[in-house]
C-alpha cells in the first residue's frame, strides 16, 4: 500500500513539473520571450513581462575610466523601442543563460553582443531579477553593463 502511495506521489509531481515546463513558466523562458518581443518591437508584450515600477539601470565607464550608473523608467525604454525606424535593424545576441531560482525569486544573467544596422555597437551582461506572482514570473529589476572593450 505504501508503494502505491509513493508511486502515485511521484507521478503527480512529475506531471506537475512537466506542465510547468510545457507552459514555459520558467525564468529563462520569460527572458527568451522578452528578447523575442524586444526584437519584434512589441511594446505591449514587453510591458506585460514587467511589474509596474520596474527598476532599470545601466553600468558603464566614462571617458576618464569612472564607473557610471544610470537609471531609466521602463516606460521610456518602451518608447525608445517603439521609436526605432522600420528600416533600422538591431539585434542583441545572447551567449548563454545563467539561471538561479529559489522559490519565488530568480536571477537570470545573459552576456550579450549588441548590433545596430548590422554594425557592432557594444557588449555586456544583462541581469534580470524576477519574482513569481500567482504562478507567473515578472521582471522587477533589470541592470546591464555596456562596454566596447573585451567583447570576445
Amino acid at each position: 500500500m505504501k508503494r502505491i502511495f509513493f508511486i502515485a506521489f511521484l507521478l503527480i509531481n512529475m506531471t506537475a513539473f512537466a506542465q510547468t515546463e510545457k507552459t514555459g513558466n520558467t525564468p529563462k523562458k520569460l527572458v527568451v520571450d522578452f528578447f523575442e518581443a524586444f526584437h519584434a518591437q512589441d511594446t505591449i508584450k514587453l510591458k506585460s513581462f514587467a511589474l509596474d515600477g520596474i527598476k532599470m539601470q545601466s553600468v558603464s565607464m566614462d571617458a576618464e575610466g569612472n564607473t557610471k550608473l544610470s537609471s531609466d523608467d521602463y516606460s521610456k525604454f518602451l518608447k525608445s523601442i517603439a521609436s526605432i525606424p522600420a528600416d533600422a535593424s538591431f539585434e542583441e545576441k545572447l551567449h548563454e543563460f545563467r539561471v538561479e531560482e529559489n522559490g519565488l525569486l530568480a536571477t537570470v544573467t545573459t552576456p550579450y553582443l549588441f548590433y545596430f544596422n548590422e554594425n557592432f555597437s557594444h557588449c555586456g551582461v544583462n541581469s534580470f531579477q524576477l519574482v513569481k506572482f500567482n504562478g507567473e514570473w515578472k521582471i522587477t529589476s533589470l541592470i546591464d553593463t555596456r562596454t566596447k572593450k573585451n567583447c570576445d
Side-chain angles (χ1 to χ4, degrees):
M1 188 63 146
K2 286 182 183 180
R3 264 191 180 170
I4 293 173
F5 284 122
F6 180 72
I7 292 170
F9 176 76
L10 284 177
L11 289 174
I12 290 169
N13 282 332
M14 287 180 3
T15 303
F17 180 75
Q19 287 176 349
T20 299
E21 290 297 312
K22 190 187 301 181
T23 62
N25 189 15
T26 67
K28 180 181 177 181
K29 177 69 170 137
L30 175 67
V31 173
V32 168
D33 291 347
F34 173 90
F35 280 103
E36 285 178 6
F38 174 73
H39 291 123
Q41 293 178 267
D42 188 340
T43 56
I44 293 171
K45 273 190 181 175
L46 286 170
K47 186 174 182 180
S48 75
F49 298 139
L51 192 66
D52 288 338
I54 177 178
K55 187 173 190 177
M56 290 194 68
Q57 295 180 304
S58 187
V59 180
S60 60
M61 299 282 272
D62 66 17
E64 291 79 41
N66 300 309
T67 301
K68 179 182 170 188
L69 177 66
S70 58
S71 298
D72 229 336
D73 292 329
Y74 197 63
S75 60
K76 186 176 177 185
F77 164 74
L78 295 175
K79 287 177 187 172
S80 71
I81 297 302
S83 69
I84 297 172
D87 61 343
S89 67
F90 62 99
E91 181 180 12
E92 191 154 330
K93 292 183 180 181
L94 305 178
H95 299 295
E96 64 181 293
F97 289 85
R98 297 180 205 133
V99 181
E100 279 191 47
E101 185 179 343
N102 188 351
L104 300 175
L105 180 66
T107 301
V108 180
T109 55
T110 58
Y112 71 89
L113 296 170
F114 188 82
Y115 294 85
F116 189 77
N117 287 332
E118 299 181 20
N119 295 310
F120 173 75
S121 172
H122 61 276
C123 67
V125 176
N126 299 306
S127 180
F128 292 83
Q129 286 291 295
L130 309 173
V131 175
K132 190 182 260 187
F133 294 94
N134 300 319
E136 183 178 5
W137 290 103
K138 292 286 186 177
I139 303 166
T140 60
S141 176
L142 172 53
I143 189 168
D144 65 44
T145 61
R146 296 180 190 180
T147 187
K148 292 183 183 237
K149 298 178 183 177
N150 302 319
C151 293
D152 41 342

